[in-house]
Amino acid sequence: MRRSIQIVFLFSALVGLTGCAASGGGQPDAAEPSGDGVSVQVSNDISPPASVVIWAVTENGMRRRLGPVPPNGRRSFNYDPQFRDQLVHLIAVPEGPSTGTMAQATERSSNRFSIVDVKTVSWTVSRQNVQIGR
């Protein structure tokens, strides 16, 4: 019985770690994307400082969560698009309670851009335009 519990626990831990690795969470200073992905680098310089969650949004409205960026922080994410021929834009949504200074914060959006033959995208949240690297 005890052995069965240990096996179930180890299997659950392995599944949890696999899910974390596949969730698209960001990493500080991550380098090149893996496979066909695009490296998305985000600098969070909004004022007042607040943590934000970054989303990639396709032209048909499909959102994919890339992950959080802390106040005055920088994170890199790997974005594997379903279709490379669609235009994409990034959205930064402030995290936290909806009271106080966070209630005054609104989501920010980048310009729309093509990801055809793109390896890297850099975005500073306070600016609309992204920088593209091929």
Side-chain angles (χ1 to χ4, degrees), residues 14-25 27 78:
L14 180 61
V15 168
L17 288 175
T18 303
C20 289
S23 68
Q27 300 173 358
N78 185 45

Side-chain angles (χ1 to χ4, degrees), residues 36-59:
D36 292 332
V38 175
S39 176
V40 178
Q41 301 164 358
V42 179
S43 295
N44 178 6
D45 65 341
I46 62 171
S47 182
S51 182
V52 295
V53 174
I54 305 301
W55 296 82
V57 184
T58 62
E59 60 188 314

Side-chain angles (χ1 to χ4, degrees), residues 59-100:
E59 60 188 314
N60 64 1
M62 297 296 294
R63 285 186 174 208
R64 182 176 302 165
R65 185 181 193 275
L66 299 181
V69 181
N72 300 311
R74 180 182 168 105
R75 303 264 323 256
S76 293
F77 306 97
N78 185 45
Y79 172 60
D80 281 320
Q82 268 189 313
F83 305 103
R84 283 205 174 253
D85 60 346
Q86 290 190 351
L87 294 176
V88 175
H89 70 278
L90 302 174
I91 295 179
V93 179
E95 283 188 304
S98 59
T99 59

